[in-house]
């Protein structure tokens, strides 16, 4: 009776019953398959059209994980006694490990449902999270996909809405505020500069006339910082609108002989 209890409580097989040779062969075979996959698939992908290439390349990490799981599935029965208690213990340990491994993934999915309810951003919004800024293209259960002004796709885990501030430029509106910055030498006629910047905004082809145009000025150690604020007709043209305001505003100021602030000083003061 005591011997049966001891054998049932044993997890690992006796050393003499463990097939170390087979284990080594399994490990070597899996390593060869992984290396072959990493070498072969990228070379096959280079010979395929663009769409098929992008479908084939993601299989490399998937197959790598599949081969590693296969190795574990083959090796564990060689080492562990096949009893119901051991199987339950292994299943519990595996479930616990997966729970820790996918903890952030699960949190992101829950945050995705919260995101759909609270709507801190919507497709078409321009948001900034950490150092990523771009237009929201889609809201998934795991991540928010944005496209930056440089046409780079960025996936932001929904978990970020719980841990980071989300800066939303337009918050579901068609347009959003654009700001053109001007850094001027302190010796100038401020009233004239303010009016000239307003004229520049009102003469822009991108301007939405129904929204207010304003100029804010602030004194800095290196000079005066002007911020020309206005709304474009279409929010998708906000970069073109800001560029138009900046270039035409600078041209108008330089024609009047107004000096710009020294670039090195302005950069250091910002």
């Amino acid at each position: 009776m005591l011997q049966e209890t001891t054998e049932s409580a044993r997890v690992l097989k006796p050393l003499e019953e463990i097939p170390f040779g087979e284990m080594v062969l399994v490990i070597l075979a899996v390593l060869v398959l992984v290396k072959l996959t990493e070498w072969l698939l990228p070379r096959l992908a280079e010979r395929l059209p663009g769409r098929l290439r992008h479908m084939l390349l993601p299989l490399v990490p998937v197959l790598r994980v599949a081969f590693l799981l296969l190795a574990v599935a083959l090796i564990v029965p060689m080492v562990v006694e096949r009893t119901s208690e051991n199987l339950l213990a292994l299943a519990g340990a595996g479930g616990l490990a997966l729970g820790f491994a996918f903890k952030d993934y699960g949190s992101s999915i829950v945050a995705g449902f919260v995101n759909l309810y609270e709507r801190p951003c919507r497709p078409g919004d321009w948001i900034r999270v950490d150092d990523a800024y771009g237009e929201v293209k889609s809201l998934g259960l795991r991540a928010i996909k944005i496209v930056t002004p440089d046409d780079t796709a960025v996936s932001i885990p929904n978990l970020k809405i719980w841990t980071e501030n989300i800066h939303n430029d337009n918050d579901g509106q068609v347009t959003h505020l654009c700001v053109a910055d001007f850094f001027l030498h302190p010796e100038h006629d401020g009233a004239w500069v303010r009016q000239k910047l307003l004229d520049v905004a009102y003469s822009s082809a991108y301007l939405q006339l129904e929204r207010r145009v304003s100029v804010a000025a602030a004194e800095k150690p290196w000079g005066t910082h002007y911020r020309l604020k206005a709304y474009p007709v279409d929010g998708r043209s906000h970069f073109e609108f800001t560029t138009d305001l900046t270039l035409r505003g600078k041209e108008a100021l330089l024609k009047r002989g107004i000096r710009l602030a020294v670039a090195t000083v302005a950069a250091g003061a910002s």
Side-chain angles (χ1 to χ4, degrees):
M1 180 70 177
L2 180 61
Q3 183 179 1
E4 292 179 359
T5 305
T6 304
E7 290 183 355
S8 63
R10 187 170 57 194
V11 177
L12 300 180
K13 292 182 177 180
L15 290 178
E16 60 272 12
E17 296 182 11
I18 298 178
F20 290 102
E22 295 181 17
M23 291 172 55
V24 172
L25 289 177
V26 169
I27 293 173
L28 290 177
V30 168
L31 290 177
V32 170
L33 288 174
V34 169
K35 293 298 182 182
L36 182 63
T37 301
E38 294 175 345
W39 177 84
L40 182 60
L41 289 188
R43 283 163 175 76
L44 289 177
E46 291 297 327
R47 301 175 179 272
L48 297 175
R51 185 177 182 84
L52 293 177
R53 180 169 65 249
H54 289 293
M55 293 175 61
L56 184 62
L57 286 177
L59 291 178
V60 174
V62 174
L63 290 176
R64 186 191 302 124
V65 172
F67 290 142
L68 293 177
L69 291 177
L70 177 62
V72 172
L74 293 175
I75 291 175
V76 167
M78 299 179 187
V79 179
V80 177
E81 290 283 0
R82 299 182 184 181
T83 64
S84 58
E85 292 83 359
N86 290 344
L87 292 177
L88 288 175
L90 288 174
L96 186 62
L98 288 175
F100 277 107
F102 291 96
K103 174 173 65 68
D104 289 340
Y105 186 87
S107 298
S108 291
I109 291 178
V110 174
F113 285 106
V114 176
N115 188 12
L116 294 176
Y117 172 73
E118 294 187 350
R119 304 183 71 186
C121 59
R122 309 161 183 79
D125 286 354
W126 285 81
I127 65 172
R128 181 184 303 278
V129 181
D130 288 339
D131 58 349
Y133 177 74
E135 182 182 6
V136 177
K137 291 298 184 181
S138 64
L139 301 175
L141 287 181
R142 191 198 68 85
I144 302 170
K145 182 179 179 182
I146 69 173
V147 176
T148 70
D150 297 326
D151 201 25
T152 300
V154 180
S155 293
I156 303 172
N158 287 322
L159 188 59
K160 289 282 187 180
I161 70 174
W162 288 350
T163 59
E164 304 291 339
N165 293 327
I166 296 182
H167 304 268
N168 194 325
D169 280 359
N170 53 323
D171 195 22
Q173 304 298 316
V174 178
T175 65
H176 62 270
L177 181 66
C178 294
V179 180
D181 294 288
F182 300 90
F183 307 95
L184 306 183
H185 189 277
E187 298 178 358
H188 62 269
D189 183 349
W192 183 90
V193 169
R194 178 179 181 275
Q195 185 57 51
K196 193 62 180 178
L197 292 179
L198 290 174
D199 293 340
V200 167
Y202 281 116
S203 59
S204 174
Y206 298 96
L207 179 68
Q208 183 180 146
L209 296 174
E210 292 79 10
R211 303 298 293 269
R212 181 171 178 266
V213 179
S214 64
V215 175
E219 284 298 318
K220 304 291 183 180
W222 41 263
T224 308
H225 178 197
Y226 287 89
R227 306 185 73 209
L228 175 56
K229 304 178 182 181
Y231 292 84
V233 174
D234 188 343
R236 291 173 296 182
S237 62
H238 68 281
F239 288 109
E240 292 86 350
F241 185 38
T242 303
T243 301
D244 178 61
L245 296 178
T246 301
L247 296 182
R248 292 194 302 110
K250 181 179 179 180
E251 180 184 11
L253 296 174
L254 292 178
K255 282 184 178 179
R256 176 66 180 253
I258 294 177
R259 291 181 293 166
L260 304 179
V262 179
T264 55
V265 177
S270 62

